[in-house]
Amino acid sequence: MEFSTYSRKKISLLIVPGPHDVGSAAAEIIKNTLKKKSRCVLGFATGSTTVPLYRELVGLYKRGVISFRDCICFTLDEYRHLPPIHRRSLRHFMEKNLFSRVDIPRENIHYLNGAADDPERECRAYGEEIRRAGGIDVQILGIGFNGHIGYNEPGSSRLSRTRMVMLSEETRARLRPLFGQTGPPRYALTMGVATILSAKRILLLAAGRDKSRVIDKALREKPAGDLPASFLQTYPGPITVILDTQAARLLPH
Ligand code: GLP
């Protein structure tokens, strides 16, 4: 199904019954991409929405349907000051849910080091690594309740590149239960909006009633920095939005 948005002619929209189906539908697209091009550069997002996708990819790998042997992978973002082994780091999330369970060669796994001494240099180097890999073939995205993509919080520019950002109060409030006494991180390193939009293909995933308002705004309102996900409407390449029926409930059918 194709869907008209405020500023972009068409977005491919796939509406599936539930969160698990969002993962299976995205896994199917990645499977087909890997079948066509085994030396594929994949950009991965974290968050609960992506868990069924990674479970599905691990299943496909274990059944011998796909291999990540020739893949190069980039993780979208990371909390500042968390070492990669920290159990709340986004690197740890990716290791636990995907990287340690499939055959991606270690040297092909790229991530932002939140504990880097010089975060600016770290971010610049990450941009370079993406360029050296030939750019991202498929970028997976979730969406935050306030419309962030990666950790491009409201106020982010369409032209932003990989950089250190301050997390919004809303985001920190949602993270608070996960971080206990130490409190949630104040900063993160994230691929920028322009970095994300330079991927060759984008898959945006969302599930649950709680995401319906932000999805509706992101796809139908005029693109603006106060809702960074709305910049996806300005993306020139193929974009597939996979939603469960709850997340899609406010979109016109
Ligand atoms: C975090 C990540 C985003 C992700 C978002 C959605 O904020 N930085 O990349 O899209 O969470 O998370 P969830 O799927 O848990 O709602």
Side-chain angles (χ1 to χ4, degrees):
M1 170 179 172
E2 289 198 320
F3 172 78
S4 296
T5 72
Y6 183 92
S7 69
R8 194 191 140 100
K9 281 214 182 76
K10 300 279 182 206
I11 280 184
S12 303
L13 181 64
L14 202 56
I15 302 178
V16 295
H20 180 78
D21 308 295
V22 171
S24 324
E28 183 69 20
I29 293 173
I30 297 192
K31 180 186 90 181
N32 292 335
T33 310
L34 286 172
K35 294 264 172 218
K36 270 192 235 136
K37 184 183 179 189
S38 62
R39 198 196 166 282
C40 197
V41 183
L42 300 172
F44 288 119
T46 58
S48 54
T49 316
T50 60
V51 172
L53 161 64
Y54 299 142
R55 199 181 303 130
E56 199 71 25
L57 289 178
V58 171
L60 288 169
Y61 162 70
K62 291 212 162 130
R63 294 198 297 279
V65 182
I66 55 173
S67 165
F68 294 87
R69 201 172 38 236
D70 301 319
C71 277
I72 301 178
C73 301
F74 289 87
T75 301
L76 193 55
D77 44 16
E78 184 56 279
Y79 298 117
R80 176 68 178 138
H81 295 308
L82 289 200
I85 51 156
H86 191 287
R87 71 188 185 93
R88 291 292 175 208
S89 76
L90 302 180
R91 155 82 182 200
H92 181 75
F93 175 98
M94 287 308 308
E95 281 292 337
K96 188 177 77 181
N97 287 288
L98 185 69
F99 296 158
S100 67
R101 305 172 68 194
V102 296
D103 60 346
I104 301 176
R106 287 279 112 191
E107 64 276 18
N108 290 3
I109 298 175
H110 299 267
Y111 62 96
L112 282 156
N113 179 5
D117 291 337
D118 182 343
E120 253 179 57
R121 200 172 61 195
E122 173 72 11
C123 291
R124 244 194 338 268
Y126 206 58
E128 275 305 312
E129 283 168 32
I130 295 174
R131 263 191 297 280
R132 260 203 307 277
I136 291 177
D137 290 306
V138 184
Q139 177 64 54
I140 316 273
L141 291 179
I143 184 168
F145 288 94
N146 60 358
H148 66 221
I149 45 173
Y151 268 130
N152 293 284
E153 294 278 37
S156 296
S157 155
R158 161 75 174 78
L159 303 175
S160 54
R161 291 273 161 197
T162 305
R163 69 205 187 289
M164 185 163 88
V165 293
M166 191 190 276
L167 296 175
S168 68
E169 275 315 310
E170 188 186 349
T171 295
R172 295 191 71 230
R174 287 183 184 276
L175 292 173
R176 194 154 283 126
L178 299 178
F179 282 87
Q181 282 195 331
T182 52
R186 288 185 185 282
Y187 298 93
L189 311 188
T190 183
M191 283 189 204
V193 176
T195 320
I196 291 170
L197 298 186
S198 61
K200 291 167 199 139
R201 177 171 191 183
I202 289 180
L203 299 184
L204 173 69
L205 317 183
R209 194 183 174 88
D210 290 357
K211 292 282 172 77
S212 58
R213 229 174 78 79
V214 74
I215 280 290
D216 183 54
K217 287 173 79 173
L219 298 184
R220 296 175 66 210
E221 289 187 3
K222 187 175 177 183
D226 60 356
L227 199 93
S230 64
F231 288 129
L232 292 171
Q233 294 183 45
T234 69
Y235 176 64
I239 174 164
T240 304
V241 179
I242 308 176
L243 306 174
D244 72 352
T245 43
Q246 288 299 314
R249 63 187 256 283
L250 299 176
L251 296 177
H253 296 304

